[in-house]
Protein backbone atom coordinates (compact mmCIF):
# COMPACT_ATOMS: atom_id res chain seq x y z
CA UNK A 1 0.00 0.00 0.00
CA UNK A 2 1.34 3.43 -0.96
CA UNK A 3 1.76 5.96 1.83
CA UNK A 4 -0.21 9.24 1.53
CA UNK A 5 1.87 12.24 0.47
CA UNK A 6 2.04 13.72 3.99
CA UNK A 7 3.12 10.38 5.48
CA UNK A 8 5.85 10.06 2.84
CA UNK A 9 7.37 13.41 3.84
CA UNK A 10 9.61 12.18 6.71
CA UNK A 11 10.86 9.31 4.54
CA UNK A 12 11.74 11.57 1.63
CA UNK A 13 13.31 14.34 3.70
CA UNK A 14 17.10 14.48 3.97
CA UNK A 15 17.46 15.18 7.68
CA UNK A 16 20.92 16.71 7.17
CA UNK A 17 19.17 19.61 5.44
CA UNK A 18 17.47 20.50 8.72
CA UNK A 19 20.80 20.67 10.53
CA UNK A 20 22.25 22.87 7.79
CA UNK A 21 19.21 25.17 7.85
CA UNK A 22 19.45 25.52 11.65
CA UNK A 23 23.10 26.57 11.40
CA UNK A 24 22.32 29.08 8.61
CA UNK A 25 19.71 30.75 10.83
CA UNK A 26 21.93 30.76 13.92
CA UNK A 27 24.96 32.09 12.01
CA UNK A 28 22.81 34.74 10.25
CA UNK A 29 24.13 33.96 6.77
CA UNK A 30 25.21 31.33 4.28
CA UNK A 31 28.90 32.29 4.26
CA UNK A 32 29.14 32.18 8.05
CA UNK A 33 27.28 28.85 8.11
CA UNK A 34 29.69 27.46 5.51
CA UNK A 35 32.66 28.50 7.64
CA UNK A 36 31.05 27.03 10.76
CA UNK A 37 30.37 23.67 9.08
CA UNK A 38 33.63 23.58 7.12
CA UNK A 39 31.79 23.48 3.77
CA UNK A 40 31.72 25.64 0.65
CA UNK A 41 29.07 28.33 0.18
CA UNK A 42 27.53 26.70 -2.95
CA UNK A 43 27.02 23.51 -0.93
CA UNK A 44 25.08 25.42 1.73
CA UNK A 45 23.05 27.34 -0.88
CA UNK A 46 22.17 24.11 -2.68
CA UNK A 47 21.11 22.44 0.59
CA UNK A 48 18.89 25.39 1.48
CA UNK A 49 17.28 25.35 -1.97
CA UNK A 50 16.61 21.59 -1.72
CA UNK A 51 14.99 22.04 1.68
CA UNK A 52 12.75 24.85 0.40
CA UNK A 53 11.71 22.64 -2.52
CA UNK A 54 10.95 19.77 -0.14
CA UNK A 55 8.77 21.81 2.22
CA UNK A 56 7.31 23.96 -0.54
CA UNK A 57 8.01 27.22 1.30
CA UNK A 58 10.48 30.07 1.08
CA UNK A 59 12.44 29.87 4.31
CA UNK A 60 15.01 32.64 3.94
CA UNK A 61 14.96 35.78 1.81
CA UNK A 62 18.44 36.12 0.33
CA UNK A 63 19.30 39.41 -1.38
CA UNK A 64 22.41 41.61 -1.39
CA UNK A 65 22.73 43.12 2.09
CA UNK A 66 19.59 41.32 3.28
CA UNK A 67 19.11 38.12 5.24
CA UNK A 68 15.58 37.59 6.53
CA UNK A 69 14.04 34.44 7.96
CA UNK A 70 10.43 34.13 6.83
CA UNK A 71 7.60 33.18 9.15
CA UNK A 72 7.68 29.63 7.78
CA UNK A 73 11.44 29.61 8.33
CA UNK A 74 11.04 30.71 11.95
CA UNK A 75 8.53 27.92 12.59
CA UNK A 76 10.83 25.34 10.97
CA UNK A 77 13.86 26.64 12.89
CA UNK A 78 12.07 26.10 16.22
CA UNK A 79 11.26 22.52 15.24
CA UNK A 80 14.82 21.91 14.00
CA UNK A 81 16.25 23.17 17.28
CA UNK A 82 13.91 20.87 19.21
CA UNK A 83 14.96 17.88 17.09
CA UNK A 84 18.62 18.78 17.59
CA UNK A 85 18.07 18.96 21.35
CA UNK A 86 16.51 15.50 21.37
CA UNK A 87 19.32 13.99 19.29
CA UNK A 88 21.95 15.58 21.54
CA UNK A 89 20.48 13.65 24.48
CA UNK A 90 21.03 10.23 22.90
CA UNK A 91 24.58 9.61 24.22
CA UNK A 92 23.45 10.32 27.79
CA UNK A 93 20.31 8.19 27.41
CA UNK A 94 22.32 5.25 26.06
CA UNK A 95 24.42 5.29 29.23
CA UNK A 96 21.41 4.60 31.43
CA UNK A 97 21.96 0.84 31.58
CA UNK A 98 25.07 1.33 33.74
CA UNK A 99 24.83 0.55 37.44
CA UNK A 100 26.72 3.75 38.27
CA UNK A 101 25.02 7.04 37.47
CA UNK A 102 26.56 8.41 34.30
CA UNK A 103 25.69 11.16 31.89
CA UNK A 104 26.32 14.78 31.05
CA UNK A 105 24.63 17.93 32.35
CA UNK A 106 24.64 21.02 30.12
CA UNK A 107 23.72 24.12 32.09
CA UNK A 108 23.13 27.51 30.48
CA UNK A 109 23.79 30.23 33.02
CA UNK A 110 23.81 34.01 33.22
CA UNK A 111 27.00 35.79 34.27
CA UNK A 112 28.22 35.99 37.88
CA UNK A 113 25.78 33.63 39.57
CA UNK A 114 27.21 33.53 43.08
CA UNK A 115 25.46 31.26 45.57
CA UNK A 116 27.17 29.32 48.33
CA UNK A 117 24.13 27.02 48.55
CA UNK A 118 24.35 26.11 44.86
CA UNK A 119 28.12 25.60 45.06
CA UNK A 120 27.73 23.33 48.10
CA UNK A 121 25.05 21.33 46.30
CA UNK A 122 27.28 20.89 43.23
CA UNK A 123 30.07 19.62 45.45
CA UNK A 124 27.86 17.05 47.17
CA UNK A 125 26.21 15.89 43.94
CA UNK A 126 29.52 15.56 42.06
CA UNK A 127 31.06 13.68 44.98
CA UNK A 128 28.13 11.24 45.09
CA UNK A 129 28.19 10.74 41.30
CA UNK A 130 31.81 11.00 40.08
CA UNK A 131 31.00 9.72 36.56
CA UNK A 132 28.62 12.59 35.74
CA UNK A 133 30.19 15.38 33.64
CA UNK A 134 29.20 19.03 33.34
CA UNK A 135 29.37 21.94 30.89
CA UNK A 136 28.43 25.51 31.80
CA UNK A 137 27.84 28.07 29.04
CA UNK A 138 27.35 31.76 29.87
CA UNK A 139 24.61 33.73 28.09
CA UNK A 140 22.25 36.63 28.65
CA UNK A 141 19.15 35.61 30.60
CA UNK A 142 16.75 35.65 27.65
CA UNK A 143 19.14 33.41 25.69
CA UNK A 144 19.34 31.00 28.66
CA UNK A 145 15.56 30.73 28.61
CA UNK A 146 15.57 30.15 24.85
CA UNK A 147 18.16 27.36 25.08
CA UNK A 148 16.06 25.51 27.66
CA UNK A 149 12.84 26.00 25.66
CA UNK A 150 14.56 24.62 22.55
CA UNK A 151 15.93 21.64 24.48
CA UNK A 152 19.52 22.69 23.85
CA UNK A 153 20.50 22.70 27.53
CA UNK A 154 19.61 20.39 30.41
CA UNK A 155 18.82 23.31 32.71
CA UNK A 156 19.16 27.08 32.93
CA UNK A 157 20.04 29.52 35.71
CA UNK A 158 19.01 33.09 35.02
CA UNK A 159 16.90 36.15 35.75
CA UNK A 160 13.30 36.18 34.54
CA UNK A 161 11.16 39.19 33.72
CA UNK A 162 8.10 36.89 33.76
CA UNK A 163 7.50 33.24 34.60
CA UNK A 164 7.42 31.28 31.32
CA UNK A 165 4.33 29.15 30.78
CA UNK A 166 6.21 26.30 29.11
CA UNK A 167 8.99 25.88 31.68
CA UNK A 168 9.26 24.80 35.29
CA UNK A 169 10.87 27.38 37.57
CA UNK A 170 12.39 27.30 41.04
CA UNK A 171 13.91 30.23 42.90
CA UNK A 172 17.53 29.25 43.43
CA UNK A 173 18.28 32.32 45.53
CA UNK A 174 17.45 36.00 45.95
CA UNK A 175 19.84 38.94 46.06
CA UNK A 176 19.65 42.63 46.94
CA UNK A 177 21.17 45.26 44.65
CA UNK A 178 22.79 48.44 45.94
CA UNK A 179 24.36 51.46 44.25
CA UNK A 180 28.15 51.79 44.19
CA UNK A 181 30.83 54.23 43.14
CA UNK A 182 34.51 53.52 42.53
CA UNK A 183 37.53 54.81 44.47
CA UNK A 184 38.09 57.53 41.83
CA UNK A 185 34.64 59.03 42.36
CA UNK A 186 34.28 62.31 44.29
CA UNK A 187 31.83 60.69 46.75
CA UNK A 188 34.12 57.80 47.66
CA UNK A 189 35.85 59.68 50.51
CA UNK A 190 32.91 61.90 51.48
CA UNK A 191 32.15 61.85 55.19
CA UNK A 192 28.39 61.89 54.75
CA UNK A 193 26.38 61.25 51.62
CA UNK A 194 22.75 62.13 51.14
CA UNK A 195 20.43 61.09 48.34
CA UNK A 196 20.53 64.70 47.10
CA UNK A 197 24.25 64.22 46.35
CA UNK A 198 23.30 61.69 43.67
CA UNK A 199 21.10 64.02 41.61
CA UNK A 200 22.33 64.31 38.01
CA UNK A 201 25.07 61.71 38.49
CA UNK A 202 26.08 59.69 35.41
CA UNK A 203 25.41 55.98 35.70
CA UNK A 204 26.17 52.61 34.12
CA UNK A 205 23.46 50.02 33.62
CA UNK A 206 22.71 46.40 32.86
CA UNK A 207 20.92 45.83 29.56
CA UNK A 208 18.17 44.02 31.47
CA UNK A 209 17.30 47.19 33.42
CA UNK A 210 15.06 48.28 30.53
CA UNK A 211 11.32 48.61 31.06
CA UNK A 212 9.81 45.16 31.55
CA UNK A 213 13.23 43.60 32.12
CA UNK A 214 14.16 41.53 35.19
CA UNK A 215 16.27 44.39 36.61
CA UNK A 216 13.75 47.17 35.93
CA UNK A 217 13.57 47.89 39.68
CA UNK A 218 17.12 49.32 39.51
CA UNK A 219 16.08 51.73 36.78
CA UNK A 220 13.07 52.80 38.87
CA UNK A 221 15.35 53.42 41.86
CA UNK A 222 17.71 55.62 39.81
CA UNK A 223 14.78 57.57 38.40
CA UNK A 224 13.49 58.20 41.91
CA UNK A 225 16.94 59.53 42.90
CA UNK A 226 17.06 61.86 39.84
CA UNK A 227 20.20 60.43 38.30
CA UNK A 228 21.26 61.64 34.86
CA UNK A 229 18.56 60.75 32.33
CA UNK A 230 20.83 58.67 30.05
CA UNK A 231 23.31 55.94 30.86
CA UNK A 232 27.01 56.50 30.25
CA UNK A 233 27.91 52.82 30.01
CA UNK A 234 25.95 49.61 29.49
CA UNK A 235 26.72 45.88 29.55
CA UNK A 236 25.07 42.50 29.98
CA UNK A 237 28.02 41.30 32.10
CA UNK A 238 28.23 41.91 35.83
CA UNK A 239 32.02 41.87 35.66
CA UNK A 240 32.01 44.63 33.05
CA UNK A 241 29.56 46.74 35.08
CA UNK A 242 31.98 46.31 37.99
CA UNK A 243 34.83 47.49 35.73
CA UNK A 244 32.84 50.55 34.60
CA UNK A 245 32.11 51.48 38.22
CA UNK A 246 35.74 51.16 39.32
CA UNK A 247 36.89 53.12 36.24
CA UNK A 248 34.56 55.95 37.33
CA UNK A 249 32.52 55.83 34.13
CA UNK A 250 29.49 56.11 36.36
CA UNK A 251 27.64 54.88 39.44
CA UNK A 252 26.21 51.40 39.03
CA UNK A 253 24.23 48.71 40.80
CA UNK A 254 25.71 45.42 42.01
CA UNK A 255 24.40 42.57 44.17
CA UNK A 256 25.47 43.36 47.73
CA UNK A 257 26.97 39.93 48.40
CA UNK A 258 28.93 40.04 45.14
CA UNK A 259 30.28 43.51 45.93
CA UNK A 260 31.37 42.58 49.46
CA UNK A 261 35.00 41.73 48.65
CA UNK A 262 35.52 44.88 46.58
CA UNK A 263 34.03 46.99 49.39
CA UNK A 264 36.33 45.36 51.95
CA UNK A 265 39.33 45.91 49.65
CA UNK A 266 38.51 49.61 49.28
CA UNK A 267 37.80 49.46 45.55
CA UNK A 268 34.16 50.55 45.70
CA UNK A 269 31.77 52.13 48.20
CA UNK A 270 28.05 51.64 48.66
CA UNK A 271 25.92 54.75 48.27
CA UNK A 272 22.47 55.54 49.66
CA UNK A 273 19.74 54.49 49.90
CA UNK A 274 20.51 51.59 52.23
CA UNK A 275 16.96 50.43 52.88
CA UNK A 276 14.19 49.10 50.62
CA UNK A 277 16.70 48.09 47.96
CA UNK A 278 15.74 46.21 44.77
CA UNK A 279 15.47 42.47 45.37
CA UNK A 280 15.94 40.09 42.44
CA UNK A 281 15.31 36.35 42.12
CA UNK A 282 17.69 33.99 40.34
CA UNK A 283 15.83 30.98 38.92
CA UNK A 284 16.65 27.42 38.02
CA UNK A 285 14.57 26.64 34.93
CA UNK A 286 13.84 23.26 33.36
CA UNK A 287 11.77 21.93 30.47
CA UNK A 288 9.16 19.35 31.50
CA UNK A 289 8.80 18.35 27.82
CA UNK A 290 12.42 17.20 27.75
CA UNK A 291 13.13 13.47 28.00
CA UNK A 292 15.57 13.65 30.87
CA UNK A 293 18.52 11.31 31.02
CA UNK A 294 18.96 9.46 34.30
CA UNK A 295 21.68 11.91 35.34
CA UNK A 296 19.51 14.93 34.52
CA UNK A 297 16.51 13.54 36.37
CA UNK A 298 18.68 12.73 39.41
CA UNK A 299 20.19 16.22 39.39
CA UNK A 300 16.80 17.95 39.18
CA UNK A 301 15.28 15.88 41.97
CA UNK A 302 18.36 16.34 44.16
CA UNK A 303 18.57 20.11 43.78
CA UNK A 304 14.85 20.58 44.44
CA UNK A 305 15.13 18.44 47.56
CA UNK A 306 18.33 20.13 48.71
CA UNK A 307 17.14 23.71 48.21
CA UNK A 308 13.80 23.02 49.89
CA UNK A 309 15.73 22.14 53.05
CA UNK A 310 16.79 25.81 53.26
CA UNK A 311 14.19 28.53 53.66
CA UNK A 312 14.19 31.24 51.00
CA UNK A 313 15.25 33.74 53.69
CA UNK A 314 18.44 31.71 54.16
CA UNK A 315 18.99 31.77 50.39
CA UNK A 316 18.57 35.55 50.25
CA UNK A 317 21.92 37.32 50.07
CA UNK A 318 22.89 40.89 50.86
CA UNK A 319 20.61 41.74 53.76
CA UNK A 320 23.23 44.03 55.35
CA UNK A 321 24.46 47.22 53.62
CA UNK A 322 28.06 48.49 53.82
CA UNK A 323 27.29 52.13 54.53
CA UNK A 324 30.27 52.63 56.92
CA UNK A 325 32.80 50.55 55.03
CA UNK A 326 35.00 52.81 52.89
CA UNK A 327 38.43 54.38 52.91
Amino acid sequence: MTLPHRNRFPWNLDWNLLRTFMVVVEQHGISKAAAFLGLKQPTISSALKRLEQTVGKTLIIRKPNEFTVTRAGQVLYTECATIFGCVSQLPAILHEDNAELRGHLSIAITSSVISEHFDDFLHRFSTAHPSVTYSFSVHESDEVEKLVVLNRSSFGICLLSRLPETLETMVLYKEYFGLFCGARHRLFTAENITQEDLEGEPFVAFQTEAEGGPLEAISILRSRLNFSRNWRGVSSSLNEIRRLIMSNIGIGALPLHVAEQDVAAGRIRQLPPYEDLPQVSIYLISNSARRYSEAEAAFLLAIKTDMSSFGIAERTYGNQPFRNRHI
Side-chain angles (χ1 to χ4, degrees), residues 250-272:
I251 292 171
L254 293 171
L256 295 186
H257 72 297
V258 175
E260 186 172 7
Q261 289 187 347
D262 284 329
V263 171
R267 290 187 282 265
I268 60 177
R269 175 183 180 178
Q270 187 180 1
L271 303 172

CSV table of all heavy atoms in Angstrom, one decimal, residues 250-272:
chain,number,residue,atom,x,y,z
A,250,GLY,N,30.7,55.7,35.8
A,250,GLY,CA,29.5,56.1,36.4
A,250,GLY,C,29.2,55.3,37.6
A,250,GLY,O,29.8,54.2,37.8
A,251,ILE,N,28.1,55.7,38.3
A,251,ILE,CA,27.6,54.9,39.4
A,251,ILE,C,26.8,53.7,38.9
A,251,ILE,O,26.1,53.9,37.9
A,251,ILE,CB,26.8,55.8,40.4
A,251,ILE,CG1,27.7,56.8,41.0
A,251,ILE,CG2,26.0,54.9,41.4
A,251,ILE,CD1,26.9,57.9,41.8
A,252,GLY,N,26.9,52.6,39.5
A,252,GLY,CA,26.2,51.4,39.0
A,252,GLY,C,25.7,50.5,40.2
A,252,GLY,O,26.1,50.7,41.3
A,253,ALA,N,24.8,49.6,39.8
A,253,ALA,CA,24.2,48.7,40.8
A,253,ALA,C,24.9,47.4,40.7
A,253,ALA,O,25.2,46.9,39.7
A,253,ALA,CB,22.7,48.6,40.5
A,254,LEU,N,25.1,46.8,41.9
A,254,LEU,CA,25.7,45.4,42.0
A,254,LEU,C,25.0,44.7,43.1
A,254,LEU,O,24.5,45.3,44.1
A,254,LEU,CB,27.2,45.5,42.4
A,254,LEU,CG,28.2,46.1,41.3
A,254,LEU,CD1,29.5,46.3,41.9
A,254,LEU,CD2,28.2,45.2,40.1
A,255,PRO,N,24.9,43.3,43.0
A,255,PRO,CA,24.4,42.6,44.2
A,255,PRO,C,25.3,42.8,45.4
A,255,PRO,O,26.5,42.8,45.3
A,255,PRO,CB,24.5,41.1,43.7
A,255,PRO,CG,24.6,41.2,42.2
A,255,PRO,CD,25.3,42.5,41.9
A,256,LEU,N,24.7,43.0,46.5
A,256,LEU,CA,25.5,43.4,47.7
A,256,LEU,C,26.5,42.3,48.1
A,256,LEU,O,27.6,42.6,48.5
A,256,LEU,CB,24.5,43.6,48.9
A,256,LEU,CG,23.6,44.8,48.8
A,256,LEU,CD1,22.8,45.0,50.1
A,256,LEU,CD2,24.4,46.1,48.4
A,257,HIS,N,26.1,41.0,48.0
A,257,HIS,CA,27.0,39.9,48.4
A,257,HIS,C,28.1,39.7,47.4
A,257,HIS,O,29.2,39.3,47.8
A,257,HIS,CB,26.2,38.6,48.6
A,257,HIS,CG,25.7,37.9,47.4
A,257,HIS,ND1,24.8,38.5,46.5
A,257,HIS,CD2,26.1,36.7,46.8
A,257,HIS,CE1,24.6,37.7,45.5
A,257,HIS,NE2,25.3,36.6,45.7
A,258,VAL,N,27.9,40.1,46.1
A,258,VAL,CA,28.9,40.0,45.1
A,258,VAL,C,29.9,41.2,45.3
A,258,VAL,O,31.1,41.0,45.2
A,258,VAL,CB,28.3,40.1,43.7
A,258,VAL,CG1,29.4,40.2,42.7
A,258,VAL,CG2,27.4,38.9,43.5
A,259,ALA,N,29.4,42.3,45.8
A,259,ALA,CA,30.3,43.5,45.9
A,259,ALA,C,31.1,43.5,47.2
A,259,ALA,O,32.0,44.3,47.4
A,259,ALA,CB,29.4,44.8,45.9
A,260,GLU,N,30.8,42.6,48.1
A,260,GLU,CA,31.4,42.6,49.5
A,260,GLU,C,32.9,42.6,49.5
A,260,GLU,O,33.5,43.4,50.2
A,260,GLU,CB,30.9,41.4,50.3
A,260,GLU,CG,31.3,41.4,51.7
A,260,GLU,CD,30.6,40.3,52.5
A,260,GLU,OE1,29.9,39.5,51.9
A,260,GLU,OE2,30.8,40.3,53.8
A,261,GLN,N,33.5,41.8,48.6
A,261,GLN,CA,35.0,41.7,48.7
A,261,GLN,C,35.6,43.0,48.1
A,261,GLN,O,36.6,43.5,48.7
A,261,GLN,CB,35.5,40.6,47.8
A,261,GLN,CG,35.3,39.2,48.4
A,261,GLN,CD,35.9,38.1,47.6
A,261,GLN,OE1,36.3,38.3,46.5
A,261,GLN,NE2,36.0,36.9,48.2
A,262,ASP,N,35.0,43.6,47.1
A,262,ASP,CA,35.5,44.9,46.6
A,262,ASP,C,35.3,46.0,47.6
A,262,ASP,O,36.2,46.9,47.7
A,262,ASP,CB,34.8,45.2,45.3
A,262,ASP,CG,35.3,44.4,44.1
A,262,ASP,OD1,36.5,44.0,44.1
A,262,ASP,OD2,34.5,44.1,43.2
A,263,VAL,N,34.2,46.0,48.3
A,263,VAL,CA,34.0,47.0,49.4
A,263,VAL,C,35.1,46.8,50.5
A,263,VAL,O,35.7,47.8,50.9
A,263,VAL,CB,32.6,46.9,50.0
A,263,VAL,CG1,32.5,47.8,51.2
A,263,VAL,CG2,31.6,47.2,49.0
A,264,ALA,N,35.3,45.6,50.9
A,264,ALA,CA,36.3,45.4,51.9
A,264,ALA,C,37.7,45.7,51.5
A,264,ALA,O,38.6,46.2,52.3
A,264,ALA,CB,36.3,43.9,52.4
A,265,ALA,N,38.0,45.6,50.2
A,265,ALA,CA,39.3,45.9,49.7
A,265,ALA,C,39.5,47.4,49.3
A,265,ALA,O,40.6,47.8,48.9
A,265,ALA,CB,39.6,45.1,48.4
A,266,GLY,N,38.4,48.2,49.5
A,266,GLY,CA,38.5,49.6,49.3
A,266,GLY,C,38.5,50.0,47.8
A,266,GLY,O,38.9,51.1,47.4
A,267,ARG,N,37.9,49.1,47.0
A,267,ARG,CA,37.8,49.5,45.6
A,267,ARG,C,36.5,50.2,45.2
A,267,ARG,O,36.5,50.9,44.2
A,267,ARG,CB,37.9,48.2,44.7
A,267,ARG,CG,39.3,47.6,44.8
A,267,ARG,CD,39.5,46.4,43.8
A,267,ARG,NE,38.9,45.2,44.3
A,267,ARG,CZ,39.5,44.3,45.0
A,267,ARG,NH1,40.8,44.4,45.2
A,267,ARG,NH2,38.9,43.2,45.5
A,268,ILE,N,35.4,49.9,45.9
A,268,ILE,CA,34.2,50.5,45.7
A,268,ILE,C,33.5,50.9,47.0
A,268,ILE,O,33.9,50.4,48.1
A,268,ILE,CB,33.2,49.7,44.9
A,268,ILE,CG1,32.9,48.3,45.6
A,268,ILE,CG2,33.8,49.4,43.5
A,268,ILE,CD1,31.9,47.4,44.9
A,269,ARG,N,32.5,51.7,47.0
A,269,ARG,CA,31.8,52.1,48.2
A,269,ARG,C,30.3,52.1,47.9
A,269,ARG,O,29.8,52.6,46.8
A,269,ARG,CB,32.2,53.5,48.6
A,269,ARG,CG,31.4,54.0,49.8
A,269,ARG,CD,31.8,55.4,50.2
A,269,ARG,NE,31.0,55.9,51.4
A,269,ARG,CZ,31.1,57.1,51.9
A,269,ARG,NH1,32.0,58.0,51.4
A,269,ARG,NH2,30.4,57.5,53.0
A,270,GLN,N,29.5,51.6,48.8
A,270,GLN,CA,28.0,51.6,48.7
A,270,GLN,C,27.5,53.0,49.0
A,270,GLN,O,28.0,53.7,49.9
A,270,GLN,CB,27.3,50.6,49.6
A,270,GLN,CG,25.8,50.5,49.3
A,270,GLN,CD,25.1,49.6,50.1
A,270,GLN,OE1,25.7,48.9,51.0
A,270,GLN,NE2,23.8,49.4,49.9
A,271,LEU,N,26.5,53.4,48.2
A,271,LEU,CA,25.9,54.7,48.3
A,271,LEU,C,24.5,54.6,48.7
A,271,LEU,O,23.9,53.5,48.6
A,271,LEU,CB,25.9,55.5,46.9
A,271,LEU,CG,27.3,55.6,46.3
A,271,LEU,CD1,27.2,56.2,44.9
A,271,LEU,CD2,28.2,56.6,47.1
A,272,PRO,N,23.9,55.6,49.3
A,272,PRO,CA,22.5,55.5,49.7
A,272,PRO,C,21.6,55.4,48.4
A,272,PRO,O,22.0,55.8,47.3
A,272,PRO,CB,22.2,56.9,50.4
A,272,PRO,CG,23.3,57.8,49.9
A,272,PRO,CD,24.5,57.0,49.6
